[in-house]
Amino acid sequence: MGKFIKKTTATGVKFDLVANNGEVIATSEVYTSPASCKKGIASVIKNAPIANVEDQTEEGFAKLLNPKFEVYTDKAGEYRFRLTARNGKTIAVSEGYKAKNSCMNGIESVRKNAADAKIVDAE
């Protein structure tokens, strides 16, 4: 079981979804309040299991409805994903992966870990 770790930053509150092995598999934006951060976590829990995968690295990819995981390549050529909610707002993003397969495994890890993850405050 993974966990959502809430952290206070200089400008607000954010969360990381961490897998059992301690690896961060998704990160949020910085929210203005703890309450809005908790809503973001709830949105990941709700949307991750049902989100389709839109592979934007494929030529002529099909645009899918939200919620979805968008797979893309960044300026450094690494694969990344972002999870968007039903309203189209990005609720979590990944780190960069050298291999597309690793990025896809990251998506599956978010799906698996978000469902029953505990919410804890950073130590």
Side-chain angles (χ1 to χ4, degrees), residues 1 4 7 17 29 32 38 42 46 55 72 74 77-78 80 83 96 103 108:
M1 176 187 342
F4 288 98
K7 298 179 181 177
L17 176 56
E29 66 178 311
T32 55
K38 278 191 139 179
K46 177 181 175 184
D55 187 350
Y72 64 98
D74 63 16
E78 292 187 323
R80 294 180 177 265
L83 174 59
C103 184
E108 288 310 310

Side-chain angles (χ1 to χ4, degrees), residues 72-87:
Y72 64 98
T73 52
D74 63 16
K75 290 179 184 173
E78 292 187 323
Y79 292 92
R80 294 180 177 265
F81 65 80
R82 62 185 151 244
L83 174 59
T84 58
R86 289 187 192 276
N87 64 3

Side-chain angles (χ1 to χ4, degrees), residues 42-106:
S43 186
V44 171
I45 291 168
K46 177 181 175 184
N47 289 294
I50 61 170
N52 289 310
V53 177
E54 180 179 284
D55 187 350
Q56 297 176 354
T57 67
E58 298 289 327
E59 194 169 321
F61 68 90
K63 291 283 271 175
L64 301 175
L65 296 175
N66 292 317
K68 64 184 172 185
F69 286 96
E70 297 173 340
V71 177
Y72 64 98
T73 52
D74 63 16
K75 290 179 184 173
E78 292 187 323
Y79 292 92
R80 294 180 177 265
F81 65 80
R82 62 185 151 244
L83 174 59
T84 58
R86 289 187 192 276
N87 64 3
K89 184 169 172 61
T90 298
I91 51 178
V93 297
S94 73
E95 64 181 7
Y97 296 94
K98 299 233 182 286
K100 185 175 177 179
N101 190 43
S102 298
C103 184
M104 297 304 215
N105 288 341

